[in-house]
Amino acid sequence: MVPQAQSASIIVRNATILTMNDAFDVIEGDVVIRDGRIASIGPAGDTTADRVINGRGSCLLPGFIQTHIHLCQTLFRGYADDLALLDWLKTRVWPMEAAHTPQSLAAAAKQAAAELLQSGTTTVLTMETVHDTDAVFEALEPMGLRAVVGKCMMDADAAVPARLMEQTAQSIDESVAIARRWHGRANGRLRAAFAPRFAVSCSRELLEAVAKLAVEHDLVIHTHASENRDEIALIKSRTGRKNIDYLADTGLTSKYLCLAHCVWVDEAEQALMAERDVKVLHCPGSNLKLGSGLAPVVEMRAKGISVSLGADGAACNNHLDMFEEMRLAAVLQAVRHKPGALTARDAVWMATREGARALGLEHEIGSIEVGKRADMILVDAHGPDPYSSIVYASRGTNVRTTIVDGEILIDNFRPTRWDFNEIAASARSEAKALASRANIF
């Protein structure tokens, strides 16, 4: 399909609007969108627009913001199951990442973007593989998804395939060059991040350099930490330090740092993270499937730590559906504590406002407020409590409409910019060829 021009104006009428503003206002009424931003909320009267959408019987809420994704792993779905983290990386994920080509990376990014947009995710923070990250940006630009993309950085791990092992200076220079090429493209919809994989695979020199570069370039740092007990033991044996303490030693622990997982962080580490405004990216589905554990989400939030949500990659979830992550986040904390320890409303907040905070975009996205970018979704959801309906009774297939930057990308369940069947066929073909190159199965 040929990309359509951004709609000059849209009115969504008669919806139940979950604004996700500071007051958690829920409004029965209309939202007017002009020039990609929210122009008004409430009764729109006889206001006219290029497009009017009837939202009666549906919830209108901010598009979901997934803060930990690996778009490049979408083609790995079904090839990397039933393994613990380190074996999963060494025997499946790293060989397949090394075997990626620009064509397979593009196919993976498009397949993921299509799935995400159709199931209500409008923004992602994604860590790609070490090479050919430009192909991911190029694939995302016409899809319409808002994305913060980081080239994976790895310079100190003998267990990785040769194609993933970088020289320190090369890794840093390439990451900076990518940011200069892509940060702010597509009307600001595409942004760059620094993405050192995790302390196991990165030298201290690289981590210290990234800490300084994030401040210099005002870019997010996206990495993994304390996901698995074996990982923590490995860091302790190499550095003599707990994982978060070691990252603090390198200068990484700042407002720029986004840490995926944090399943095994003790009270002292949590206190340090809260003090330094480190963001946590919670991935309950992935943590369950890899057998990593249950993150102390309630405790971290009580300390003021920003905890947002992500599906992780299709290699370890295998869904990319934020509805599932919200539900799991809530019910798992009920098991750890008691029902209501993390409410449905809390889960929606994590999927929207906390995601925006993690990315430093809280003034642009994450809530339905006048002046913010028009990233929102219309969900067929019914019930006395809209938050409960969204978290406990809905899934991605309930998303009727997805709007990003004021453009309708999913219209009455159908994509407007691309053909899902064509994208899926390309992804299937590239996945088979990729698995063959990587000698998987």
Side-chain angles (χ1 to χ4, degrees), residues 231-434:
E231 166 211 344
I232 292 171
L234 191 54
I235 295 298
K236 187 70 177 288
S237 70
R238 290 181 182 179
T239 69
R241 302 282 279 162
K242 292 184 293 186
N243 204 347
I244 305 303
D245 290 340
Y246 175 65
L247 295 181
D249 293 343
T250 69
L252 276 184
T253 50
S254 72
K255 68 177 183 178
Y256 296 100
L257 183 60
C258 293
L259 290 180
H261 305 300
C262 294
V263 174
W264 302 103
V265 285
D266 63 24
E267 289 282 336
E269 290 173 300
Q270 291 176 40
L272 187 153
M273 292 157 64
E275 178 188 340
R276 308 275 178 95
D277 196 19
V278 172
K279 316 303 191 297
V280 171
L281 324 176
H282 179 43
C283 305
S286 170
N287 295 159
L288 286 175
K289 188 164 182 287
L290 289 173
S292 297
L294 308 181
V297 172
V298 168
E299 294 87 338
M300 290 189 287
R301 294 183 82 240
K303 291 179 176 66
I305 297 171
S306 171
V307 184
S308 53
L309 290 170
D312 207 339
C316 62
N317 189 299
N318 295 17
H319 296 284
L320 300 179
D321 188 337
M322 185 64 114
F323 289 91
E324 181 169 319
E325 301 310 308
M326 289 189 294
R327 179 183 174 87
L328 285 173
V331 300
L332 289 174
Q333 296 307 304
V335 170
R336 292 188 66 248
H337 294 280
K338 63 180 181 179
L342 187 76
T343 66
R345 192 179 78 169
D346 292 334
V348 178
W349 182 267
M350 291 165 67
T352 55
R353 287 293 296 275
E354 291 294 1
R357 179 180 167 190
L359 301 182
L361 295 175
E362 59 266 47
H363 300 300
E364 289 284 300
I365 58 175
S367 60
I368 297 179
E369 298 182 81
V370 172
K372 284 196 172 183
R373 292 186 182 272
D375 290 11
M376 59 188 71
I377 58 176
L378 193 63
V379 181
D380 280 347
H382 314 278
D385 179 346
Y387 298 106
S388 173
S389 297
I390 292 293
V391 173
Y392 296 129
S394 300
R395 57 183 60 189
T397 50
N398 289 83
V399 176
R400 282 179 50 197
T401 303
T402 301
I403 299 171
V404 179
D405 251 359
E407 181 182 344
I408 301 169
L409 298 176
I410 304 297
D411 189 1
N412 198 25
F413 303 102
R414 296 187 178 186
T416 61
R417 275 194 176 213
W418 29 263
D419 185 304
F420 188 82
N421 290 329
E422 289 180 4
I423 286 173
S426 174
R428 287 193 297 270
S429 175
E430 289 290 348
K432 289 180 182 178
L434 174 61

Side-chain angles (χ1 to χ4, degrees), residues 1 15 25 48 77 100 109 171 182-183 201 228 237 284 293 315 320 323 340 344 348 364 372 400 402:
M1 293 183 181
D25 288 325
T48 60
R77 182 183 280 131
H100 257 309
S171 182
W182 286 100
H183 190 69
S201 297
N228 174 282
S237 70
L320 300 179
F323 289 91
V348 178
E364 289 284 300
K372 284 196 172 183
R400 282 179 50 197
T402 301

